Amino acid sequence: MVTQKDVAKLAGVSISTVSRVLNGSSLVDGETKKNVESAIKKLNYKPNLVAYGLRAKSSKLIGLILPELVHQAYSMIAQYVETRASDKGYSMILGVHRNDPECEKWLIDDFQRRNVDGIILQPVHDEPHTSANLKEYTRVPMVLYGQSFSSDQMGTVQLDNYKAGIMAAEHFVKLGHRHIACTAGPINMEYLRERLNGFRDGLTKHNIVISQQDICACELNYQVPGVVSGQRAVMQFLDGRDRKDYPTAIWAHNDLVAVGIIKELHQRKIRVPEDVSVIGMDNMVLTDMIYPPLTTIGQPLEQMATMSVDILLKEIELKEQYVPENIRMEPQLIIRQSTGKYSENVI
Amino acid sequence: MVTQKDVAKLAGVSISTVSRVLNGSSLVDGETKKNVESAIKKLNYKPNLVAYGLRAKSSKLIGLILPELVHQAYSMIAQYVETRASDKGYSMILGVHRNDPECEKWLIDDFQRRNVDGIILQPVHDEPHTSANLKEYTRVPMVLYGQSFSSDQMGTVQLDNYKAGIMAAEHFVKLGHRHIACTAGPINMEYLRERLNGFRDGLTKHNIVISQQDICACELNYQVPGVVSGQRAVMQFLDGRDRKDYPTAIWAHNDLVAVGIIKELHQRKIRVPEDVSVIGMDNMVLTDMIYPPLTTIGQPLEQMATMSVDILLKEIELKEQYVPENIRMEPQLIIRQSTGKYSENVI
DNA sequence: GTGAAAGCGCTAACAG
DNA sequence: CTGTTAGCGCTTTCAC
C-alpha cells in the first residue's frame, strides 16, 4: 500500500503538505503543489478511506438495512440507493434482517461500529417498534423507509398506503362492481392496515360495505409463497358460496398474491376479467408477463430510494438542526387487462 | 461514543488490559477480567471496527460487485452472499457497475481504499478482460463469479454453462424433437457462447444440426427487455416460413426471453407445449407463475454464492499459499409444462 | 507556506 | 499478569 509518507518522500515535502494538497487546502505554493501532484500520479497513490474516516469522523459510508432482497421491491431499492449514494460520493454497506429483530439490532450496531455516516432502515414489521425505540440504540442519522409511521426524531419515506387503497376501490367502483373482496395480509403490519382502511373508506364513500368474509387476512411469512396465499384467498372467497354470491372484484395486497388468485380462478374456469376483476399491488415486472397482464398499483421506487438518500445526507449535514421530514409518496394506478366492467349476467 | 479509554477508567486499569480481555488474550487475572467485563457491560461499550481495522489490517468487510440487482439471479446472489458473510462474521459492502468498465474499476478501487479483506466480482461482460488484467489493479483476494473463464491467479465460481446446453438439447431430443431452435444472446459473452456450444454438441450427438437461421443472437442491453427479445426471436424463427418448417422446440437463454417467446406464440395461436416446446434458463420464481409453467434450467445460486464466500475467506486466510480453485457447478433441469412430446401431425 | 507533533480508537511489542 | 510505548494512515493545530 502506498501512503502519504511515500508521496511525501518522493516529493521532498512533509506529510502534512501532501494532506494539504489532497484536501485542496488554501495556501500551498504552486510549485510544491505541482511536485506533490506528480508524485501522487507517479506512485498511483489513493488516500486510504479508513484512516481518513477515523480521523475525520466521516466514513462516506451509509448503511442500508432491508428485510430481504428476493422481492423485487427490495432489490430495486437496494440498487437505486446504491446508485444515488454512489453519485453523492458515498458507498453502501448492505444488511438483510429477514424480519428478525435480533438481526436488525445487530446490523444497526455493526454499522455504527463501522462508523457509517447514516443508516436507511426498513424495520422488521412484526414488532411495532417505534422510532423512539430505535433512537435508543442508534446514534447516527437514520431514515426510516417504507413503514407507516411518522416520526419527529428522524426522516421517514413511505408510500401513501391509504391512498393506494382508495385508488383500488375507486377503480373497481368506476367499473361498476358492487361485491368486492380483498386480501389484507397480516394485520399486525401497520402499512397493510392503512391500505385496507383506504380501501374500505373508498368503498364506503360509494355506499359499498365490504363484509368480514370478503377480507382475507392471509399470513405472510417467508414459508408461504405469495402465490399460495392468493390461492387460499380464492378458497375463502368462493368455497361454500353460490356462484351468484361470488365477489366480482378482488384487490390483492401484492402482485404475487394477485398472481395466485388469477391462477386459482383459472383453474376453476372463472375468467379474468370477464367474471372477476383483479388488482395487484407493487407493479413488479412480472405483472406484464402473466395472462392477463395485471392491473396493479405501483410505488415510485426510484424516487423513494433517491429521496431516502437525499434526506439522509441532509440529516448528516445538518446534524441537530435537521427538522425531520415525513415524506409520503403517491402511488400510481396502472391499468392493464385484469380488470374490466362489471356485467350482471356473466356470473 | 464510548471507547476503551472510558472502560479503562471505570475499571481502573490500563487501555491495553481492556484490549486484552476483549481479544480473549491469555493470562489476564480473573479478577481484573471480571472488572473490565462489568465496566464494558455498564457502559455498553462496543469496539470500534474502523480503528480495529486500521490497526489489525483486517476490516472484516468484503465487497460484492454485481452488474445490477434487478434480475433475480443477481439479487439472490447478493442476499446469499450477505447471509453467508454475516454468518462468518463479515459485513458486506455492495456495488453495482451496470456493465460499465469505468464504474467497475472505480468500485474495486473504492473498496480497496476501504480496506476490504476481499472482493467477489461478477465482471462487466462486454469487455473480455482477463483475470490477469484484473489482478493488475487489485491487491486484495478476489473471487470471480459467474464468468466463463478459469484463472490460476484467483478463485472462480461459475455455472457449467456447457452442461446446461447439453441438458436442454437432451431434453428436447428425448421428447422426439428434430427441428430445434434457440436464442443465443450476445455472442461476445463467453458464458453464452458456452451454452450455445453445449446445446449444439448435445444435438450433434444425436445427428441433429441446428441451422444458423434457427439461432437468434438477440442483443441484451438494458434497454431491450428480455420479453421483447423473446418476441423478436419468434419473428425470426417463424416469419416467412411455411408452418411445416417451424421449429417445434426452442431453448431461450434466459427465462424472460422464454416468457416473451411464449407470449408471442400464444398471440399467433401456436400452443405451448402442444405445437412448440420451450425451455428457459435460470429458474426465476416467475417461471412457476406463467401459463404454462416453464420448463427451465436452474442454477444452484445459493450454493454458488456460499461457495464464493467460502473460497474468498480461504483465500484471505491462506494469502499467498492459496491455490486458486476454479469451481463449476452443475445446472439442474426443472421439468414443468412448457415442454412436451413431439407429435408430427400437430403443426 | 510548511514542518513537527498530537491524536482519532485500537493492538502489539516491550518492559517490568 | 499489567502498564507504557509506539504506530496503523490520516488530519489538524501550532509554531516557525
Side-chain angles (χ1 to χ4, degrees), chain B residues 82-100:
Chain B
E82 197 275 342
T83 301
R84 183 61 163 194
S86 179
D87 285 350
K88 298 288 187 177
Y90 283 75
S91 300
M92 180 185 88
I93 182 169
L94 175 70
V96 162
H97 61 55
R98 259 176 260 80
N99 222 26
D100 170 7

Side-chain angles (χ1 to χ4, degrees), chain A residues 3-4 16 19 23 45 48 55:
Chain A
T3 74
Q4 280 188 2
S16 40
S19 175
N23 296 300
Y45 163 76
N48 182 292
R55 179 69 232 229

